């Protein structure tokens, strides 16, 4: 029997490597296909990569395949942007998340691959079309905005159920039927179908390569158990994903092949699985009934699948690593929830998935659970047990809030009931949605800074490319002339709306660039409506087309508005001028004022309406503005509240705030209270969070709380967690996740990382090894309030 804990230990001990094979074969293909349509070039490139990439079957694996040639590796995507290029010489030696790169590969990158893509990346094309004003701002430190699509799109839920049910041969048959019906003169559609056909066949051939490799390895393997496993791998890979999956193991192998190919075609981040206990359960149930599998064996196979998801480790440049915690691919899957009739879908596989996740407990997959008012009581108890133990690193979603919000947003009832989660907490319909679910990040603290200085940067910051006094937004009211906090809120709204508009301008250009230069024929072949319309997913072929902007720093701004309301306008303990002067000096010489701002005025997360109403208003302003805009692909923009570690990156360039936060300190995370400001216990924090209108937040909202393990210890620990969670959800909460860790353990892990190689934490809407985080992000997690019993 496969020892999955040994597989985990081996993988955890490896240093990630950069694999250049995707970029090598992409470049070779593009050199030979000049003059052909871009969608055909992309399909040909995918075929070339899958035909040539090095295959490995690592010892003990039950699920095989990789997006790279490394046991744990990051691909190289020179067609997206060149931000990492200047850092390649030192990437093996950097302090946080070093990646080994072979010196010969490095020379090939420098001498062949990078020169070919220079001035031909997505970002190059976008910059050539952006206005001068936008080029000055987009993805520049101190501009308050990040447009993430320069790295690729990712962030999608694939139609795994269809692949399991029909196999790629069934999808090829569908493509052929469309090809036979279209007119010869319709060249654009014909090329789309030919590219989709080429891509699907390339994936079948890719799996066949694994089948042949396993068969050859089996002939050389002297140990009987290993030989039989290789022989079974060969049989499975010859069958799936070409044909429908007939067994549980075939189902997992099939969806894993589809997953890694999507990573190769598009981008490594947040390619997600949706409700695995829905579409894999019939295979599991049939295997049990036929006596082909035991529950224990099924759990082992599932554990192997979970471990394989950790073989992809995206590699970012320094800034990207700081903002997005690059070694995690945020591969999301979810269990539980309701079907289209409102019935609970929990089954034995739902329980088994928690058992497998709890035993392995690695940073991937990002594991979610859907809960509703009629959830199976035993399942609810099991979820609470796993979450309260801290071993499962679960995040929990409330169907009773999410499904109505999605339906109100235009998602059909059956599709809303089948929603999945993408990456962190993003919401989508499997196989029907082109989300671009993390297309941009907006810094709310930056918008407040401009509102407090008539659209100008408030103060200098050595990390920022922009200087104090530089005009970055519309000229709004002089703060010293404001008569109430409502005047400041109006100025904040004006600045935020301006930033959202600029971001939409940038994203519309990026969407066009993606459609023109980086279509996705394979992913399109698995997305409903694309084949029927003969249209790539990036050209609006999906049923639902969304692009999402994430708001960062909600509580930091809400707390600042509450402080100004009290200190300046109501209690009049400070003038606006005195406060602005203190902030411009980062409170140097005004520590007494800063401590008053921190401790004497209301803060979000303590069930205090004097603070909570401002946080809610910040959310409403942002959501209502984002939801005004329509996308290039014919859908809508939608708001979300999560940050990866962008709250740390943005905070580095933001001025001091009226909440007492100093320049350079992190902003608040998602919908969570600002660090250390939730002092009245977890119930109060959840009561504050429940006041937000989640019906507006259709791309998801991350709520993080931290607890000492002692908080849920003892006989009543599980029940205490369940009560806390269900009460919050009954009040209208959308999402909950917890770090249940001893703060002393985090401090020890920061000092002696070698002793804690697999300590998993949830910085925002994802899980990651604590030792893979930058020291600034580690410190931010340590600074949060941890509730004690």
């Amino acid at each position: 029997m496969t020892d999955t804990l040994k597989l985990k230990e081996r993988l955890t001990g490896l240093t990630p490597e950069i694999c250049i094979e995707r970029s090598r074969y992409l470049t070779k293909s593009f050199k030979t296909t000049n003059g052909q349509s871009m969608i055909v070039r992309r399909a040909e490139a995918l075929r070339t990569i899958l035909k040539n990439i090095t295959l490995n079957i690592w010892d003990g694996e039950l699920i095989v395949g990789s997006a790279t040639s490394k046991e744990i590796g990051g691909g190289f995507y020179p067609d997206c942007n060149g931000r990492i290029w200047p850092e390649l010489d030192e990437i093996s030696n950097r302090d946080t998340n070093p990646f080994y790169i072979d010196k010969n590969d490095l020379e090939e990158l420098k001498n062949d691959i990078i020169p070919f893509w220079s001035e031909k990346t997505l970002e190059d094309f976008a910059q050539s079309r952006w206005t001068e004003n936008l080029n000055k701002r987009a993805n520049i430190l101190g501009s308050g905005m990040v447009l993430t699509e320069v790295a690729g799109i990712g962030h999608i839920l694939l139609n795994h159920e269809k692949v399991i049910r029909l196999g790629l041969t069934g999808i090829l048959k569908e493509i052929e039927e469309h090809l036979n019906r279209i007119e010869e003169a319709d060249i654009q559609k014909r090329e789309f179908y030919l590219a989709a056909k080429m891509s699907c066949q390339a994936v079948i051939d890719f799996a066949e390569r694994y089948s042949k490799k396993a068969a050859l390895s089996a002939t050389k393997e002297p140990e009987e158990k290993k030989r039989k496993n290789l022989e079974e791998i060969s049989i499975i890979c010859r069958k799936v994903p070409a044909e429908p999956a007939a067994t549980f193991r075939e189902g997992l192998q099939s969806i894993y092949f589809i997953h890694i190919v999507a990573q190769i075609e598009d981008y490594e981040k947040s390619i997600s699985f949706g409700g695995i206990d829905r579409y894999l359960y019939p295979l599991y149930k049939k295997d049990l009934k036929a006596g082909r599998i035991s529950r224990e064996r099924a759990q082992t196979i599932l554990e192997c699948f979970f471990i394989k998801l950790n073989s992809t480790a995206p590699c970012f440049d320094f800034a990207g690593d700081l903002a997005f915690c690059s070694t995690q691919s945020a591969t999301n899957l979810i269990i539980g929830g309701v079907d289209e009739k409102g019935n609970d879908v929990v089954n034995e596989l739902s329980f088994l998935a928690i058992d497998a996740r709890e035993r392995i407990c690695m940073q991937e997959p990002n594991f979610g659970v859907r809960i509703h008012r009629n959830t199976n009581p035993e399942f609810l108890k099991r979820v609470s047990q796993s979450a309260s133990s801290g071993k499962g690193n679960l995040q929990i979603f409330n169907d009773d809030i999410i499904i109505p919000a999605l339906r109100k947003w235009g998602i059909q009832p059956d599709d809303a009931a089948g929603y999945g989660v993408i990456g962190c907490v993003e919401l989508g319909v499997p196989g029907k949605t082109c989300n671009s679910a993390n297309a941009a990040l907006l810094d709310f603290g930056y918008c407040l800074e401009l509102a407090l200085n008539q659209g100008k940067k408030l103060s200098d910051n050595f990390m920022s490319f922009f200087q104090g006094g530089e005009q970055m937004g519309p000229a709004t009211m002089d703060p010293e002339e404001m008569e109430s906090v409502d005047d400041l809120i109006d100025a904040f709204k004006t600045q935020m709306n301006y930033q959202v508009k600029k971001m939409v301008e940038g994203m519309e250009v990026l969407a066009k660039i993606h459609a023109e230069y980086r279509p996705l024929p394979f992913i399109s072949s698995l997305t409903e409506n694309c084949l029927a319309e003969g249209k790539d997913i990036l050209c609006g072929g999906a049923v639902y087309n969304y692009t999402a902007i994430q708001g960062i720093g909600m509580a930091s701004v809400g707390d600042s508005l509450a402080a100004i309301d009290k200190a300046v306008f109501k209690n009049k303990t400070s003038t606006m001028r005195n406060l602005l002067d203190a902030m411009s000096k980062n409170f140097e010489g005004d520590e007494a004022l800063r401590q008053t701002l921190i401790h004497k005025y209301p803060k979000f997360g303590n069930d205090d309406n004097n603070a909570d109403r401002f946080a809610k208003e910040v959310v409403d302003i942002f959501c209502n503005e984002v939801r005004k805009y329509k996308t290039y692909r014919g859908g809508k923009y939608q708001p979300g509240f999560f940050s990866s570690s962008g709250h740390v990156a943005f905070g580095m360039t933001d001025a001091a705030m009226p909440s007492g936060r100093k320049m350079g300190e992190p902003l608040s995370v998602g919908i969570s209270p600002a660090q250390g400001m939730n002092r009245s216990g977890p119930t109060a924090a959840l009561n504050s969070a429940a006041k937000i209108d989640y019906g507006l937040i259709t791309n998801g909202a991350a709520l993080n709380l931290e607890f000492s393990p002692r908080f849920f210890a003892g006989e009543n620990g599980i029940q205490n967690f369940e009560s806390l969670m269900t009460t919050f959800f009954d009040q209208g909460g959308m999402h909950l996740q917890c770090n249940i860790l001893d703060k002393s353990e985090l401090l020890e892990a920061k000092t002696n990382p070698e002793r804690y190689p697999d300590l998993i934490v949830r910085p925002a809407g994802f899980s990651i090894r604590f030792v893979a985080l930058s020291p600034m992000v580690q410190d931010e997690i340590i600074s949060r309030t941890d509730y004690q019993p």
Side-chain angles (χ1 to χ4, degrees):
M1 184 175 178
T2 298
D3 188 338
T4 52
L5 293 182
K6 284 187 177 180
L7 290 180
K8 172 189 173 179
E9 183 180 3
R10 186 176 76 212
L11 204 64
T12 302
L14 296 175
T15 297
E17 301 180 62
I18 290 179
C19 173
I20 72 164
E21 291 195 6
R22 177 193 177 275
S23 58
R24 173 189 295 153
Y25 299 119
L26 174 74
T27 304
K28 286 185 176 181
S29 178
F30 261 61
K31 286 180 177 179
T32 64
T33 57
N34 194 34
Q36 298 182 39
S37 70
M38 187 55 70
I39 196 164
V40 171
R41 295 184 78 186
R42 282 284 163 182
E44 183 61 56
L46 181 63
R47 179 165 66 178
T48 302
I49 295 166
L50 297 182
K51 183 178 180 180
N52 291 284
I53 193 170
T54 300
L55 307 187
N56 293 292
I57 299 176
W58 309 104
D59 188 40
E61 290 186 326
L62 300 182
I63 304 296
V64 300
S66 179
T68 74
S69 62
K70 313 298 183 183
E71 189 163 9
I72 176 167
F76 196 75
Y77 293 76
D79 46 326
C80 292
N81 67 75
R83 291 174 173 263
I84 200 170
W85 299 352
E87 300 179 17
L88 288 171
D89 284 324
E90 299 299 325
I91 202 156
S92 297
N93 301 313
R94 68 184 184 184
D95 293 333
T96 303
N97 294 328
F99 275 72
Y100 173 78
I101 183 167
D102 180 85
K103 65 178 182 179
N104 293 325
D105 288 348
L106 182 58
E107 289 304 307
E108 183 178 347
L109 287 175
K110 289 181 175 180
N111 297 329
D112 183 28
I113 295 171
I114 289 175
F116 177 82
W117 292 100
S118 181
E119 299 184 0
K120 294 195 291 286
T121 69
L122 279 173
E123 190 166 25
D124 290 329
F125 292 134
Q127 288 173 344
S128 71
R129 298 189 194 180
W130 282 338
T131 63
E132 181 180 354
N133 181 277
L134 194 54
N135 267 311
K136 184 179 178 181
R137 297 165 179 269
N139 300 334
I140 303 296
L141 282 173
S143 71
M145 66 170 71
V146 172
L147 307 183
T148 68
E149 285 186 352
V150 297
I153 291 183
H155 299 89
I156 194 169
L157 286 159
L158 300 175
N159 198 339
H160 291 296
E161 184 277 331
K162 184 176 182 179
V163 176
I164 285 175
R165 177 168 45 86
L166 297 179
L168 291 181
T169 52
I171 294 171
L172 281 170
K173 182 179 179 182
E174 187 179 344
I175 294 170
E176 286 286 358
E177 290 171 352
H178 287 295
L179 261 173
N180 293 333
R181 285 199 295 266
I182 64 171
E183 300 290 336
E184 284 289 338
D186 197 341
I187 296 174
Q188 189 171 0
K189 283 189 176 182
R190 179 166 292 277
E191 289 184 334
F192 167 76
Y193 289 126
L194 289 173
K197 179 180 177 181
M198 186 189 308
S199 301
C200 288
Q201 186 59 54
V203 179
I204 292 173
D205 295 343
F206 179 57
E208 179 64 23
R209 288 184 65 206
Y210 269 99
S211 175
K212 291 177 179 178
K213 182 174 182 63
L216 180 61
S217 298
T219 64
K220 302 175 182 180
E221 176 54 61
E223 189 175 322
E224 182 180 3
K225 287 184 178 180
K226 291 183 178 180
R227 185 173 62 253
K228 286 186 176 181
N229 181 49
L230 288 166
E231 289 170 348
E232 187 170 0
I233 288 171
S234 179
I235 293 169
I236 290 172
C237 293
R238 189 178 306 122
K239 181 178 180 183
V240 297
E243 303 296 333
T247 69
F248 183 62
R249 186 173 175 182
E250 287 177 4
L252 285 169
Q253 182 64 69
S254 182
I255 67 174
Y256 183 69
F257 271 137
I258 299 304
H259 175 75
I260 60 176
V261 172
Q263 289 181 324
I264 292 169
E265 182 183 43
D266 182 9
Y267 170 50
E268 293 164 322
K269 277 280 193 177
S270 303
I271 309 291
S272 299
F273 288 98
I276 62 167
D277 57 342
R278 296 174 185 237
Y279 55 79
L280 289 173
Y281 178 64
L283 300 177
Y284 169 76
K285 184 178 179 181
K286 189 166 65 172
D287 277 359
L288 284 178
K289 186 175 181 180
R292 287 191 295 262
I293 202 170
S294 66
R295 189 186 191 281
E296 292 72 23
R297 179 63 173 172
Q299 181 173 329
T300 297
I301 297 170
L302 192 56
E303 287 174 5
C304 286
F305 173 73
F306 288 171
I307 291 169
K308 283 296 292 184
L309 297 180
N310 291 271
S311 66
T312 299
C315 182
F316 281 68
D317 63 296
F318 170 79
D321 185 77
L322 179 64
F324 299 105
C325 300
S326 69
T327 62
Q328 48 83 29
S329 61
T331 298
N332 201 299
L333 58 80
I334 200 161
I335 58 174
V338 299
D339 62 17
E340 62 277 6
K341 296 180 180 178
N343 298 317
D344 186 39
V345 301
V346 168
N347 54 52
E348 187 178 347
L349 185 54
S350 312
F351 286 89
L352 186 145
I354 292 181
D355 293 346
R357 167 64 172 164
E358 194 171 272
R359 186 167 186 269
I360 294 302
C361 202
M362 299 179 75
Q363 63 186 33
E364 309 294 345
N366 192 12
F367 196 102
V369 180
R370 288 175 49 175
I371 297 296
H372 55 98
R373 62 175 61 90
N374 295 318
T375 293
N376 178 325
E378 287 302 310
F379 183 67
L380 192 62
K381 181 179 179 180
R382 182 68 184 92
V383 170
S384 301
Q385 179 189 42
S386 186
S388 62
S389 71
K391 294 179 181 178
N393 294 95
L394 308 181
Q395 55 177 343
I396 307 165
F397 297 83
N398 185 3
D399 278 9
D400 297 327
I401 294 299
I402 292 172
I403 292 173
L406 294 177
R407 291 179 62 172
K408 189 176 180 180
W409 191 232
I411 304 288
Q412 292 299 306
D414 289 1
D415 291 339
Y419 78 87
V421 179
I422 304 165
C424 293
V425 298
E426 305 98 293
L427 306 173
V429 179
K432 293 187 177 182
T433 312
C434 180
N435 285 79
S436 193
N438 191 14
L441 309 176
L442 175 61
D443 178 357
F444 289 179
Y446 172 82
C447 297
L448 181 63
E449 180 180 346
L450 299 186
L452 285 167
N453 201 33
Q454 296 178 273
K456 300 174 184 177
K457 286 285 290 181
L458 185 62
S459 57
D460 291 329
N461 183 313
F462 76 97
M463 290 296 297
S464 176
F465 280 77
F466 306 96
Q467 302 305 310
E470 189 165 353
Q471 195 74 40
M472 299 298 293
T476 44
M477 189 175 185
D478 184 340
E480 292 187 78
E481 296 178 4
M482 293 177 178
E483 297 181 357
S484 74
V485 73
D486 292 334
D487 290 333
L488 177 55
I489 290 172
D490 286 343
F492 172 76
K493 181 178 180 180
T494 298
Q495 299 298 338
M496 177 178 282
N497 291 356
Y498 176 79
Q499 300 304 322
V500 169
K501 183 179 180 181
K502 299 303 295 185
M503 295 173 78
V504 168
E505 287 177 16
M507 287 185 287
E508 288 300 280
V509 170
L510 274 169
K512 293 176 185 177
I513 297 295
H514 272 281
E516 293 172 14
Y517 292 101
R518 212 165 179 268
L520 304 171
F522 177 65
I523 290 174
S524 297
S525 71
L526 307 181
T527 304
E528 191 166 324
N529 253 32
C530 288
L531 293 182
E533 295 289 331
K535 188 183 294 186
D536 188 84
I537 188 173
L538 299 184
C539 295
V543 177
Y544 305 109
N545 294 280
Y546 298 124
T547 299
I549 305 176
Q550 321 321 324
I552 298 178
M554 176 274 292
S556 297
V557 171
D559 290 351
S560 294
L561 293 173
I564 286 181
D565 182 49
K566 290 287 187 182
V568 175
F569 296 116
K570 290 184 177 175
N571 297 352
K572 301 188 185 301
T573 55
S574 174
T575 66
M576 183 69 81
R577 183 72 270 154
N578 287 342
L579 180 58
L580 294 176
D581 286 345
M583 289 164 54
S584 70
K585 295 182 294 185
N586 202 26
F587 296 106
E588 293 295 327
D590 285 296
E591 184 61 24
L593 172 60
R594 191 173 86 91
Q595 292 301 318
T596 297
L597 293 169
I598 291 173
H599 296 288
K600 297 297 184 182
Y601 299 117
K603 299 290 187 291
F604 177 79
N606 298 285
D607 198 13
D608 185 335
N609 286 331
N610 291 312
D612 298 345
R613 72 179 185 92
F614 290 109
K616 182 181 184 306
E617 188 153 10
V618 169
V619 170
D620 292 350
I621 290 170
F622 173 66
C623 291
N624 289 329
E625 181 63 21
V626 169
R627 289 160 67 103
K628 290 179 183 177
Y629 293 96
K630 292 189 176 181
T631 72
Y632 168 76
R633 291 184 290 272
K636 303 174 184 177
Y637 279 89
Q638 56 181 359
F641 284 83
F642 57 92
S643 62
S644 296
S645 51
H647 58 287
V648 175
F650 278 146
M652 290 169 60
T653 62
D654 281 354
M657 298 178 72
S659 63
R661 174 201 156 274
K662 296 186 75 173
M663 177 189 294
E665 291 181 350
L667 301 175
S668 59
V669 183
I671 217 80
S672 310
Q675 294 82 350
M677 296 299 105
N678 44 322
R679 309 180 184 113
S680 303
T683 299
L686 294 175
N687 287 344
S688 289
K691 297 171 188 176
I692 301 299
D693 183 358
Y694 294 101
L696 296 173
I697 310 175
T698 45
N699 197 48
L703 174 62
N704 294 59
L705 293 181
E706 278 64 36
F707 294 89
S708 161
R710 297 187 300 277
F711 196 96
F712 296 113
E715 295 181 3
N716 297 322
I718 297 172
Q719 182 58 49
N720 290 342
F721 183 90
E722 183 177 326
S723 297
L724 200 70
M725 172 182 64
T726 55
T727 299
F728 174 54
F729 282 177
D730 287 344
Q731 290 178 312
M734 175 181 268
H735 167 272
L736 177 64
Q737 60 186 25
C738 302
N739 282 312
I740 301 177
L741 296 163
D742 195 314
K743 188 165 287 191
S744 62
E745 186 176 31
L746 296 177
L747 291 166
E748 173 68 15
K750 185 183 178 187
T751 304
N752 299 295
E754 71 282 355
R755 299 180 187 174
Y756 298 87
D758 58 353
L759 176 63
I760 304 296
V761 296
R762 297 192 71 90
F766 61 94
S767 294
I768 193 168
R769 294 188 305 136
F770 183 75
V771 297
L773 297 169
S774 71
M776 286 181 287
V777 180
Q778 290 178 334
D779 288 342
E780 185 274 322
I781 294 174
I782 292 169
S783 73
R784 300 176 187 178
T785 298
D786 62 327
Y787 294 116
Q788 302 289 332

